[in-house]
């Protein structure tokens, strides 16, 4: 397993992502819409329909904390690993083969217990590092960031094998990945404006309105997650640049 340092700039990585999305935006956005429904809308519906004691969880896709009933939280705890693995499977299929099928988001259920275990172990490791201080916790998030891509790429790998490979791959690449994520902050803020500025509704009407208000968010996540899979294929050597000439979006191949 060769160790690769990603030399491409964040602008180049985003350009490769845009090139992949060209003529494919709508179909990829549909996939992100399906993922949003499964990971955000369904838990909100469960919380509205089956109220009860409340606990707080963090949704990685939207970058916000939510207070939900125990039923909704149990849904998230049990299924978030499978949905994350499925999303990564969807993204890899799209990026490498332009095979865009939102149904791939359910692929993670084929390896349900491994995905659940990986999500739990990663959460425990990040939590333990966070006990030292917030910065070690953030570094841990980036250290383990490729684990689900690794599992989606080769489901035969074990939980610790995926985590250790992510640590190895991200050695020397965490700063570049941090800058890549930071470069999307403007897009993220713009995509959140409808949710922040448009009227708020309660109950089921609010959940339905959220689906509409979040349309810009689906486009943002399609772009940012495609950049993430671009980074993964660069750091693993699946995506390489031809040595001759200057950078061009079409100079990259598998």
């Amino acid at each position: 397993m060769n160790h690769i340092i990603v030399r491409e700039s964040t602008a180049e990585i985003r350009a490769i992502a845009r090139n992949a999305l060209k003529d494919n935006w709508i179909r990829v956005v549909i996939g992100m819409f399906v993922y949003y429904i499964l990971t955000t809308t369904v838990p909100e519906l469960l919380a509205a329909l089956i109220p009860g004691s409340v606990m707080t969880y963090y949704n990685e896709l939207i970058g916000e904390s939510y207070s939900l009933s125990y039923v909704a939280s149990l849904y998230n705890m049990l299924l978030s690993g499978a949905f994350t693995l499925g999303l990564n499977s969807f993204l890899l299929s799209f990026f490498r083969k332009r095979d865009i099928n939102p149904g791939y988001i359910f692929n993670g259920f084929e390896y349900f217990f491994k995905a659940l275990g990986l999500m739990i172990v990663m959460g425990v490791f990040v939590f333990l590092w966070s006990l030292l201080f917030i910065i070690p916790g953030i570094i841990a998030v980036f250290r383990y960031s490729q684990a689900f891509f690794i599992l989606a790429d080769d489901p035969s790998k074990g939980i610790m094998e995926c985590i250790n490979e992510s640590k190895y791959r991200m050695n020397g690449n965490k700063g570049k990945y941090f800058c890549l994520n930071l470069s999307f902050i403007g897009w993220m803020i713009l995509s959140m404006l409808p949710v922040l500025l448009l009227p708020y509704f309660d109950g089921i009407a609010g959940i339905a309105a959220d689906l509409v208000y979040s349309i810009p968010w689906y486009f943002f996540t399609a772009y940012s997650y495609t950049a993430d899979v671009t980074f993964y294929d660069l750091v693993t050597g699946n995506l390489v640049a031809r040595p001759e000439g200057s950078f061009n979006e079409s100079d990259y191949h598998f």
Side-chain angles (χ1 to χ4, degrees):
M1 181 168 56
N2 295 327
H3 182 254
I4 297 171
I5 299 295
V6 176
R7 304 296 181 187
E8 287 76 7
S9 68
T10 57
E12 290 170 341
I13 295 172
R14 292 198 310 270
I16 298 168
R18 290 194 303 272
N19 187 58
L21 285 164
K22 186 179 179 181
D23 301 324
N24 294 306
W25 274 100
I26 298 301
R27 290 188 293 167
V28 176
V29 165
I30 290 173
M32 302 311 299
F33 175 68
V34 171
Y35 181 74
Y36 187 90
I37 289 176
L38 294 171
T39 59
T40 302
T41 307
V42 171
E44 289 178 349
L45 282 171
L46 288 172
L49 297 174
I50 313 175
S53 299
V54 171
M55 63 185 297
T56 301
Y57 82 101
Y58 183 78
N59 188 298
E60 197 173 273
L61 179 64
I62 61 176
E64 294 182 2
S65 295
Y66 277 86
S67 294
L68 296 175
S69 67
Y70 283 134
V71 172
S73 298
L74 182 63
Y75 171 93
N76 277 326
M77 183 181 69
L78 292 177
L79 302 184
S80 60
F83 287 140
T84 301
L85 181 60
L87 176 65
N88 289 359
S89 175
F90 167 77
L91 291 167
L92 285 171
S93 295
F94 148 63
F95 188 71
R96 293 177 177 176
K97 300 179 291 185
R98 300 300 187 267
D99 182 6
I100 309 173
N101 182 352
Y104 291 159
I105 292 172
F106 294 95
N107 284 357
F109 285 91
E110 186 175 354
Y111 305 97
F112 175 83
F113 290 105
K114 188 177 288 188
L116 176 61
L118 180 58
M119 182 66 73
I120 292 173
V121 172
M122 285 175 57
V124 169
F125 283 177
V126 170
F127 171 75
L128 291 176
W129 279 107
S130 298
L131 292 177
L132 299 178
F133 199 58
I134 188 171
I135 299 301
I138 293 173
I139 293 173
V141 169
F142 289 108
R143 183 184 296 124
Y144 308 132
S145 62
Q146 307 305 300
F148 269 97
F149 274 123
I150 292 167
L151 182 60
D153 209 3
D154 185 359
S156 68
K157 292 182 177 179
I159 291 171
M160 292 308 302
E161 191 175 359
C162 293
I163 288 176
N164 289 332
E165 182 175 336
S166 180
K167 289 167 58 178
Y168 176 78
R169 297 289 187 188
M170 293 304 289
N171 185 26
N173 287 305
K174 290 186 287 292
K176 177 61 64 68
Y177 192 62
F178 171 77
C179 290
L180 176 63
N181 282 267
L182 190 63
S183 71
F184 282 102
I185 191 167
W187 293 99
M188 181 182 69
I189 293 171
L190 285 174
S191 69
M192 293 176 65
L193 288 180
V195 177
L196 298 174
L197 300 179
L198 293 175
Y200 176 76
F201 300 92
D202 291 322
I204 302 299
I207 295 172
D210 177 66
L211 284 174
V212 177
Y213 293 169
S214 297
I215 289 175
W217 187 263
Y218 311 144
F219 282 86
F220 160 69
T221 52
Y223 185 15
S224 63
Y225 273 74
T226 301
D228 283 345
V229 73
T230 301
F231 183 89
Y232 170 74
D233 264 5
L234 286 170
V235 82
T236 55
N238 291 304
L239 184 66
V240 296
R242 298 189 181 97
E244 71 278 359
S246 59
F247 168 78
N248 187 287
E249 295 177 28
S250 61
D251 284 342
Y252 285 73
H253 64 94
F254 297 103

